[in-house]
Amino acid sequence: MRRVTWFTEIGRGDVGLVGGKNASLGELITHLGRAGVRVPDGFAVTADAYREFITDAHLTERIREQLDRLHQGAALAEVGSAIRAALLAAPLPSTLEDELTEAYERLGLEVRRTDPDVAVRSSATAEDLPEASFAGQQETFLNVRGRAAVIDACHRCFASLFTDRAIDYRERMGFDHMAVALSVGVQLMVRADLGGAGVVFTLDPESGFPGAVVVSAAWGLGETVVSGQVDPDEYVVFKPLLKDPALNPVIQAQVGAKRRKAVYATEGLTRTVDTIPEERAGRVLDDAEVRALAEWAVAVEEHFGCPMDIEWAKDGPTGALYLVQARPETVQSRRHGTVLRRYRLTGTGERLVSGIAVGEAIGVGPVCALASPVELERFPTGAVLVTAITDPDWEPLMKRASAIVTDHGGRTSHAAIVSRELGVPAVVGTGRATAVLEDRKQVTVSCAEGSEGRVYAGQVAFEESETDLGTLPETRTKVMLNLADPAAAFRWWQLPADGVGLLRMEFMVAHQVRVHPMALVHPERLSPEDRRLIDELTSGYPDRTDYFTDNLARGVARIAASRWPHPVVVRTSDFKTNEYARLIGGQPFEPVEANPMIGWRGASRYYDERYREGFALECRALRKVRDETGLTNVVVMIPFCRTPQEADRVLTEMAGHGLERGRNGLRAYVMAEIPSNIVLAEQFAERFDGFSIGSNDLTQLTLGVDRDSDLLAHLFDERDPAVTRSIDSLIATAHAAGRTVGLCGQRPSNDPDFARFLVAAGIDSISVTPDSFAAVKHHVAVAERA
């Protein structure tokens, strides 16, 4: 009988012998070491050894008796406690203790340490399979030292096969309790207590977007990340560009609060302590380390042939990175089919708290705030579970909840993982839900608004829609998306769109950056209060302007990655002066205009001494996306360009900041939204590669109608002959010059006749919001058949 076997002797074909966790570790060590992947050495106590223990101690019938009591109505907690007590009361076979001792001593000799510190982890024989996830249901012990402690930890792992949550899960999934056995992994510890640790997904765990590697990271041992005790850093890497060493495909680096960390205890195993301010404000990993983990993760994914959920650790003394666990991702990878289900709020309500959205659904129900798990009958089905953090003991309650809200945790916390698997919307890491949300009060939990989850007071109206992607027709005319929120970009990756026809930079500046770019260049002109706010936002940036370019570049990159390699047309900032003034530090740099709609906006700002330095930051961010990240599908579009001479000045400014039309495949478009763009289309076509019709501005300026005027609303009509003839004329002139023409606007989504007109005129592309995509695709297909 093989009671103990080394990781180097096993692989993924040995799940029945050593469980999924240990089999994966053996596979990593044996096959991926050549790719530079580091995995701490160790050994496994086999499932055969577990079965020998159960048989020799005559435990089989005692376990069956207790499970029969469960099926007859006995309480789960009572049954689980009785089984675990029986297993712990029975001694381990002496042969197993001897082989465990011999292997542990050999491990110490390998690292030249007596009583080396090890991690002792359970590994169930039905665990970590693509069709099931037992993660977190059995025990793990960190910083275990000495022969007696290792034997005791293995014994406790055996008993943990019958934790309440494990019994409940097997009942729900239809696994035979007696057919599942337990192996135990004993692995050298990485001194992550002096470094950091976290989790890597080889796809986006919320949307299933396969082009991303998502890395979470916190200081100290990884148990705080998995349990949800901390709000970790989150980094996103774009997979397709990883192979080019000259590029930096890190498209997101979000610093989490990281208020606590797990470290070694002087007595016992581990303890949790507060982090210092520098740790909370700083990144756990730099871009090079994030990239290294992503490269390893992709190698693991390619080897296993499926998306993976991986745990990593960073050794504090040496700075070396290690992979310590790898398992198949079991939520998004099981979602097949062509139906895209989406939720959308149609009403409004007072926002109470916000955090990280898990899933993309909406849940409504009364708040049930709990400090610890309670009996099922005390938790009403359909309630919103509100608590500080969850662990596997909460799972029976979580299955009954309409939504889950926690104070702490990130996207790889227990609450997030289980919510995803159950299909229950969750908002984690709110910081204050237990203090703010009142028991029995109705709330609406929305995860349908991007990566930020929100909890609203009362029952806010919402709608649910389904799109069968398999029924969408093919069209000659390109149908593209209007996107502005980087957080929501991955949600729409399954839509068969031809790219992004309009990415509004000003949305990102307003929501992600929040600071007027000139305020970062000239802080001496700011009020004390604005200076204080900007100091807080730009903390950690020696050069404040890097705060603007980094945040803007990463926002653009996330959207560009979501549609790669299709074009993503980024419109440079098109705030009006009154809107610019509302940014932090904006007022000293913006004049008060009587009519900002046709005032100092768009192209006229970019070469003006009062904003040139701000435009330089915009260009720097876009160049970073294209040249450093490698997302060359980004197209730059200039708004509100009044004359060809103005176009020349803007293009000269762009070239001076590294955005030269034609270099590295850069294309430059111009918005066609002013009558002069139509009248002088031939001259504009000499300077730009394409046009995008802004139908709202073109209509108001052609008809002389203020689009915001209620008094003139009856005159505002994109189908007015003056407007449609302008569109016809532009398309004919542009095509004659070999230039493309698109339209970004909502009219084609709710007006099939307008879509038919555009198709008949020869429009090259139509760009609409994602929720209108399916309707427009059908309208265009009908028009093309006419």
Side-chain angles (χ1 to χ4, degrees):
M1 177 185 293
R2 296 175 68 186
R3 296 183 181 89
V4 173
T5 184
W6 290 85
F7 289 159
T8 53
E9 300 170 340
I10 55 179
R12 57 178 163 173
D14 297 308
V15 172
L17 180 67
V18 296
K21 189 175 297 173
N22 290 333
S24 293
L25 286 171
E27 190 78 10
L28 292 178
I29 289 175
T30 304
H31 295 285
L32 289 165
R34 292 186 297 273
V37 176
R38 284 189 291 268
V39 180
D41 199 7
F43 58 87
V45 178
T46 66
D48 288 344
Y50 166 81
R51 293 189 185 96
E52 180 186 44
F53 162 60
I54 295 296
T55 301
D56 287 2
H58 307 291
L59 291 167
T60 303
E61 284 308 312
R62 295 177 67 181
I63 293 170
R64 289 193 188 280
E65 287 172 6
Q66 291 297 327
L67 293 172
D68 287 342
R69 290 183 61 236
L70 177 68
H71 298 148
Q72 293 164 10
L76 172 63
E78 182 183 327
V79 169
S81 177
I83 296 175
R84 293 191 300 275
L87 267 67
L88 289 172
L92 295 180
S94 59
T95 49
L96 174 58
E97 290 193 359
D98 291 344
E99 291 189 32
L100 250 177
T101 300
E102 182 183 345
Y104 178 64
E105 290 176 349
R106 176 180 154 186
L107 198 61
L109 289 173
E110 283 188 6
V111 294
R112 300 178 181 178
R113 293 205 309 269
T114 303
D115 293 343
D117 46 325
V118 294
V120 181
R121 296 185 175 95
S122 306
S123 180
T125 57
E127 182 182 38
D128 297 341
L129 302 177
E131 67 273 12
S133 174
F134 287 2
Q137 293 180 15
Q138 282 83 43
E139 294 289 2
T140 289
F141 301 96
L142 303 179
N143 187 27
V144 180
R145 298 169 184 262
R147 169 189 173 279
V150 170
I151 291 172
D152 179 66
C154 287
H155 198 170
R156 292 182 180 280
C157 283
F158 281 171
S160 74
L161 187 59
F162 291 92
T163 59
D164 296 351
R165 66 255 191 190
I167 295 171
D168 176 75
Y169 184 83
R170 290 194 296 269
E171 287 283 319
R172 179 157 49 91
M173 297 295 290
F175 285 95
D176 179 351
H177 294 278
M178 303 311 297
V180 177
L182 195 95
S183 169
V184 179
V186 179
Q187 185 179 36
L188 288 168
M189 285 287 294
V190 176
R191 289 304 302 267
D193 60 310
L194 304 175
V199 177
V200 184
F201 284 102
T202 62
L203 47 59
D204 177 56
E206 305 312 327
S207 67
F209 176 58
V213 175
V214 180
V215 181
S216 63
W219 301 112
L221 302 170
E223 63 186 62
T224 59
V225 177
V226 176
S227 66
Q229 296 176 60
V230 297
D231 307 323
D233 292 351
E234 184 171 288
Y235 312 99
V236 179
V237 181
F238 186 47
K239 275 190 211 173
L241 301 180
L242 262 175
K243 296 189 185 303
D244 188 338
L247 301 176
N248 177 14
V250 179
I251 60 173
Q252 179 181 315
Q254 182 175 318
V255 175
K258 308 183 297 292
R259 291 187 175 89
R260 307 276 286 168
K261 67 177 178 179
V263 298
Y264 282 10
T266 51
E267 294 184 7
L269 302 180
T270 64
R271 63 192 180 101
T272 305
V273 298
D274 290 339
T275 51
I276 61 176
E278 290 78 9
E279 289 174 321
R280 297 175 190 178
R283 287 176 55 168
V284 176
L285 299 171
D286 61 29
D287 279 3
E289 291 168 323
V290 172
R291 183 191 185 117
L293 285 174
E295 288 174 344
W296 287 1
V298 170
V300 173
E301 179 182 56
E302 290 175 349
H303 180 77
F304 280 82
C306 63
M308 298 296 288
D309 170 359
I310 301 164
E311 293 184 27
W312 62 271
K314 179 180 177 179
D315 186 69
T318 66
L321 296 169
Y322 294 85
L323 301 188
V324 295
Q325 288 192 53
R327 62 181 73 88
E329 193 277 340
T330 58
V331 178
Q332 293 294 343
S333 55
R334 289 197 310 225
R335 291 182 180 168
H336 301 294
T338 60
V339 175
L340 185 66
R341 181 174 288 107
R342 286 292 175 259
Y343 295 78
R344 185 172 71 89
L345 288 176
T346 57
T348 58
E350 177 192 358
R351 190 196 304 189
L352 302 175
V353 295
S354 60
I356 298 168
V358 178
E360 299 175 345
I362 295 174
V364 178
V367 169
C368 184
L370 298 174
S372 60
V374 297
E375 294 179 2
L376 283 177
E377 56 268 23
R378 291 182 55 197
F379 183 82
T381 299
V384 174
L385 174 61
V386 177
T387 189
I389 62 171
T390 68
D391 60 33
D393 291 328
W394 290 83
E395 289 175 24
L397 301 183
M398 296 169 78
K399 289 186 294 185
R400 298 172 63 128
S402 63
I404 297 162
V405 185
T406 69
D407 285 344
H408 308 295
R411 293 212 286 170
T412 54
S413 64
H414 173 269
I417 291 169
V418 174
S419 298
R420 240 177 252 124
E421 184 165 311
L422 296 174
V424 175
V427 178
V428 301
T430 63
R432 57 196 188 100
T434 53
V436 173
L437 302 182
E438 298 181 38
D439 231 18
R440 294 187 290 277
K441 290 289 182 69
Q442 288 284 329
V443 294
T444 299
V445 179
S446 172
C447 296
E449 301 168 84
S451 62
E452 182 180 63
R454 297 163 183 169
V455 181
Y456 298 95
Q459 297 186 22
V460 180
F462 67 93
E463 65 182 19
E464 181 181 354
S465 63
E466 289 187 354
T467 302
D468 187 346
L469 302 179
T471 66
L472 293 179
E474 294 285 336
T475 59
R476 295 187 306 275
T477 307
K478 293 180 179 179
V479 181
M480 307 173 79
L481 301 177
N482 294 338
L483 294 177
D485 183 3
F490 290 171
R491 296 178 61 201
W492 307 106
W493 72 271
Q494 290 171 288
L495 286 179
D498 296 300
V500 174
L502 177 62
L503 190 165
R504 298 179 178 89
M505 182 185 286
E506 62 270 11
F507 182 94
M508 281 184 247
V509 173
H511 293 87
Q512 273 75 47
V513 180
R514 298 171 53 203
V515 179
H516 195 293
M518 294 297 289
L520 299 169
V521 179
H522 292 288
E524 72 280 0
R525 296 175 60 180
L526 301 177
S527 68
E529 176 60 15
D530 281 349
R531 208 161 186 172
R532 184 188 66 78
L533 289 172
I534 291 173
D535 284 344
E536 289 180 5
L537 288 172
T538 60
S539 175
Y541 283 92
D543 183 343
R544 294 165 187 253
T545 63
D546 288 341
Y547 166 81
F548 183 94
T549 54
D550 283 1
N551 281 277
L552 184 56
R554 285 191 164 128
V556 171
R558 189 178 172 98
I559 293 177
S562 74
R563 303 316 310 181
W564 175 267
H566 297 294
V568 171
V569 181
V570 181
R571 186 177 71 188
T572 48
S573 64
D574 193 26
F575 284 124
K576 292 171 273 296
T577 49
N578 58 324
E579 295 167 336
Y580 266 116
R582 287 198 289 268
L583 296 173
I584 297 172
Q587 286 194 351
F589 304 98
E590 299 300 328
V592 176
E593 295 186 293
N595 192 349
M597 184 73 76
I598 55 173
W600 190 43
R601 62 177 283 203
S604 63
R605 298 177 64 94
Y606 303 155
Y607 54 85
D608 191 303
E609 288 300 329
R610 292 170 293 177
Y611 190 74
R612 281 184 69 193
E613 292 163 301
F615 185 61
L617 298 186
E618 296 183 30
C619 292
R620 203 165 91 195
L622 294 177
R623 182 180 179 183
K624 184 172 185 175
V625 175
R626 287 182 50 84
D627 295 353
E628 295 179 26
T629 306
L631 290 160
T632 52
N633 59 330
V634 165
V635 178
V636 180
M637 183 161 67
I638 303 301
F640 228 77
C641 188
R642 293 171 170 94
T643 68
Q645 293 72 32
E646 187 166 68
D648 291 336
R649 299 185 71 175
V650 171
L651 291 169
T652 299
E653 289 290 326
M654 288 172 53
H657 300 297
L659 291 177
E660 183 179 354
R661 181 179 162 221
R663 189 185 69 83
N664 197 18
L666 175 63
R667 288 179 291 166
Y669 288 1
V670 65
M671 289 290 292
E673 52 193 344
I674 308 170
S676 62
N677 300 140
I678 312 301
V679 175
L680 301 176
E682 191 171 347
Q683 294 181 50
F684 280 104
E686 293 172 358
R687 292 159 170 83
F688 293 100
D689 300 289
F691 296 84
S692 180
I693 298 167
S695 57
N696 281 339
D697 273 348
L698 182 61
T699 300
Q700 78 166 343
L701 295 174
T702 299
L703 300 179
V705 173
D706 181 352
R707 71 187 191 195
D708 296 325
S709 170
D710 293 334
L711 294 174
L712 300 176
H714 63 288
L715 293 174
F716 188 91
D717 186 0
E718 292 104 319
R719 294 177 305 174
D720 186 278
V723 180
T724 57
R725 287 185 189 178
S726 293
I727 293 173
D728 263 327
S729 172
L730 174 65
I731 293 173
T733 304
H735 285 179
R739 302 294 184 245
T740 58
V741 182
L743 180 138
C744 45
Q746 283 305 101
R747 189 63 181 257
S749 62
N750 49 32
D751 186 347
D753 287 340
F754 194 65
R756 192 156 36 246
F757 155 71
L758 292 173
V759 171
I763 198 86
D764 296 290
S765 65
I766 298 172
S767 186
V768 296
T769 58
D771 55 355
S772 303
F773 178 83
V776 172
K777 195 75 169 168
H778 283 292
H779 294 336
V780 169
V782 170
E784 289 181 346
R785 290 196 298 267

